[in-house]
Amino acid sequence: MANIVVLVKYVPDATGDRTFTSDNTVDRVGVDGLLSELDEYAVEEALKVVEAGDGEVTVLTVGPEQAADAVRKALQIGAHKGVHVLDDAIAGSDAAATSLVLAKAIEKIADYDIVMTGLASTDGAMSVVPAMLAERLGLPQLTFASELTIEGDTIRIRRDGDAATETIEASGKMVVSVTDQINEPRYPSFKGIMAAKKKPVETWSIADLGIEASQVGTAAAWTKVLSFEPRPPRTAGEIVTDEGDGGTKLAEYLASKKFV
Amino acid sequence: MPATRLMPTQESDDLIALTREIVDKELRPRVDEAEASATFPREVFRTLGRAGLMSLPYPEELGGGDQPYEVYLQVLEEIASAWASVGVGVSVHALSCFGLFTAGTDEQREQWLPEMLSGEQLGAYCLSEAHAGSDPAAMRTRAVRDGDDYVIDGAKAWTTHGGEADFYKVMARTSDDGGRGISCFLVPAGSPGLTADVPERKMGLTGSTTATMLFDGVRVPAGRRLGDEGQGLPIALAGLDAGRLGIAAVAVGVAQGALDVAVAYAKEREAFGKPVIEHQGLAFLLADMAAAVDSARATYLHAARMRDAGRPYGREASVAKLVATDNASRVTADAVQVLGGAGYTKDFPVERYMRETKVMQIFEGTNQIQRLVISRHLAR
């Protein structure tokens, strides 16, 4: 029996134009968005775990009204129910405040064994929320799992680092984050789209979670974005014309950059 | 730029999003190689089937998606915008299931339709013969009753998925009574005596196998006859209007794909110091292409809504097929023009689009036949 809460995030479509609001936070309202691709691996892994045994997958999101799209997509893929924490006060929250809202929401869900997340969001890309969440909930954390096996109430993961591969395990309730190497996420099906319409989604405010407005949002953030500007476009590069010595020139170029 | 669509429901909006996701991740990475090497993408149809995209217009209790043609055709258009051969295949498959759905008994439908609609089984449709294209009543393939079976002998030309399909919807003559002497059979692949001739070497749609199916004493149980003896031609013709809408949607998809490539190229490519899209000569050509794509889409959607409302739509289906395929032929040729010399090479897909749309003016009723249908409606 494993009930799993999967954290999902609604992120701006990376193929569209990014825009920012007047306080230099990412505009999440006026742009096309979607379920963060990295979260699809967490949804898939959670579904595999419950399909191999039993239990239910609850997807949890914190975000503006459109974030319901991310919940709906996860339900279409196969998750059983959804929770959407929606509150204007949350806009502009940093990772610490976001983890507070998530922790309180998970405590309210109460009936869970595993909290599963992707390795990062595709917009913020900080990878810190799983660790912050484990700290707030007082749970062990197994992060960056590229493989996951379950024996009883023990979960063992493989974490691939630059220099070494670690095998780590924990028992009881825990937070697990998974990489994009762990599985091949399934597509929703049209049946899944239809079934999702009947699945329950609850919408909670921060008041429902016992959180004060002063604990979240831009004002509570520990850091502040002062300014931003687009990175300069790539330069045209250097074209080597082969006059019989192309190979030598390429080797010289690579040596000058210390690649060889 | 994906086409802007006003879908009737949230789930149909999500269905378009799902289609685009599968098209981007599963179809686009494979299309160039498969078309260049004339490889039939059987696995792609299974992927579409698992997602429920092979059975959208059929009722839910038989495993379908219960979607109106207005929705189904737009999904088909999205598929064809990336891969015409697959779009044509989905349309042909839907048409192959149509006879069983409309003329089959409840028992026949329950026995075969769910597997066919799941996409695990791929369908083909045997109507034309070498000498009987626009005039199917001239067909000679014969089904002779022998005890509890029929024995089929003859050859059916231009069979899309010929040799690749798992089942064949076959029209064969059971009496010499002209158009009233034709019956419809559902013949499983692998039936002894059923073979595919060498596939046709075509100008386009090379990823879609087309072959003559040879029937040499093929025994088919009488329980596999759909409808009564002599009902074959009405069954076949009833499906043609729906099939014409399918091809109209496919043609709009290919034209949209060509427009997208042409616009992207015209924004990048510079001549005389500015992007070519800023030169009026090409800008107006692109504007005409966009107008042709949009108006063809509106035309097939009108016909689809007539069908969905249960109204007669034969004339509208023929108008849609005529307008969409003629427009697509022009738009894809103009896309080659926009890309100039580059468009004439196989390094860009527009020359393929141009070759692919030609046949759409020919199959599923030539555009001359469409004009005949339309003019007969006018003369009523």
Side-chain angles (χ1 to χ4, degrees), chain B residues 28-83:
Chain B
R28 289 193 197 281
R30 293 182 170 86
V31 53
D32 291 345
E33 165 64 23
E35 288 296 324
S37 61
T39 307
F40 183 71
R42 184 66 182 88
E43 200 48 45
V44 167
F45 288 100
R46 288 201 181 91
T47 302
L48 295 175
R50 279 193 288 270
L53 303 186
M54 296 290 279
S55 57
L56 289 171
Y58 290 94
E60 217 174 331
E61 60 268 24
L62 293 166
D66 235 345
Q67 288 302 293
Y69 257 58
E70 177 189 358
V71 172
Y72 157 62
L73 292 178
Q74 294 191 74
V75 169
L76 191 55
E77 188 204 315
E78 289 284 341
I79 292 170
S81 72
W83 198 341

Side-chain angles (χ1 to χ4, degrees), chain B residues 71-287:
Chain B
V71 172
Y72 157 62
L73 292 178
Q74 294 191 74
V75 169
L76 191 55
E77 188 204 315
E78 289 284 341
I79 292 170
S81 72
W83 198 341
S85 290
V86 175
V88 168
V90 172
S91 181
V92 165
H93 176 79
L95 196 60
S96 308
C97 301
F98 192 74
L100 174 57
F101 175 64
T102 53
T105 62
D106 285 349
E107 200 186 346
Q108 287 176 319
R109 286 166 20 148
E110 280 159 26
Q111 187 174 357
W112 297 310
L113 209 48
E115 213 178 2
M116 287 158 64
L117 292 181
S118 73
E120 280 304 311
Q121 297 258 312
L122 187 67
Y125 182 73
C126 295
L127 176 62
S128 295
E129 297 183 6
H131 58 279
S134 292
D135 179 15
M139 74 173 61
R140 292 180 195 149
T141 294
R142 207 163 260 287
V144 176
R145 184 78 188 228
D146 180 29
D148 291 338
D149 298 336
Y150 286 87
V151 178
I152 305 180
D153 283 285
K156 304 301 278 187
W158 311 117
T159 307
T160 301
H161 303 160
E164 305 282 358
D166 299 291
F167 64 90
Y168 296 83
K169 175 180 157 191
V170 180
M171 304 297 158
R173 184 162 289 293
T174 42
S175 85
D176 291 324
D177 190 8
R180 285 183 295 274
I182 293 165
S183 302
C184 179
F185 301 90
L186 195 63
V187 182
S191 297
L194 175 62
T195 53
D197 206 344
V198 177
E200 305 292 347
R201 298 177 303 137
K202 293 175 299 180
M203 173 177 166
L205 298 181
T206 42
S208 173
T209 309
T210 307
T212 293
M213 293 306 294
L214 306 171
F215 292 77
D216 182 11
V218 176
R219 271 191 179 272
V220 180
R224 283 187 164 272
R225 191 191 68 223
L226 304 178
D228 294 333
E229 264 197 21
Q231 282 298 304
L233 202 56
I235 293 170
L237 298 182
L240 284 187
D241 284 341
R244 283 168 187 165
L245 290 187
I247 294 309
V250 167
V252 172
V254 180
Q256 179 72 52
L259 175 66
D260 292 344
V261 173
V263 169
Y265 187 87
K267 285 178 177 171
E268 285 281 319
R269 167 82 181 178
E270 292 193 0
F272 305 103
K274 57 182 179 181
V276 295
I277 198 168
E278 290 175 22
H279 293 289
Q280 196 184 59
L282 279 185
F284 277 19
L285 188 59
L286 289 163

Side-chain angles (χ1 to χ4, degrees), chain A residues 20-92:
Chain A
F20 296 86
T21 59
S22 55
D23 62 4
N24 290 348
T25 56
V26 176
D27 182 3
R28 299 178 185 283
V29 177
V31 296
D32 284 340
L34 72 177
L35 170 63
S36 173
E37 215 169 303
L38 291 171
D39 293 344
E40 290 186 21
Y41 297 91
V43 173
E44 175 67 34
E45 198 60 24
L47 288 173
K48 282 169 73 175
V49 170
V50 299
E51 282 164 3
D54 57 13
E56 281 194 331
V57 175
T58 303
V59 289
L60 167 62
T61 198
V62 175
E65 222 159 287
Q66 298 95 315
D69 287 357
V71 172
R72 196 172 67 248
K73 174 88 184 275
L75 295 176
Q76 291 170 352
I77 294 171
H80 301 85
K81 50 192 181 181
V83 173
H84 180 185
V85 183
L86 171 66
D87 203 308
D88 288 345
I90 299 171

Side-chain angles (χ1 to χ4, degrees), chain A residues 205-217:
Chain A
S205 67
I206 55 169
D208 294 330
L209 303 177
I211 299 172
E212 302 288 333
S214 59
Q215 293 174 275
V216 293

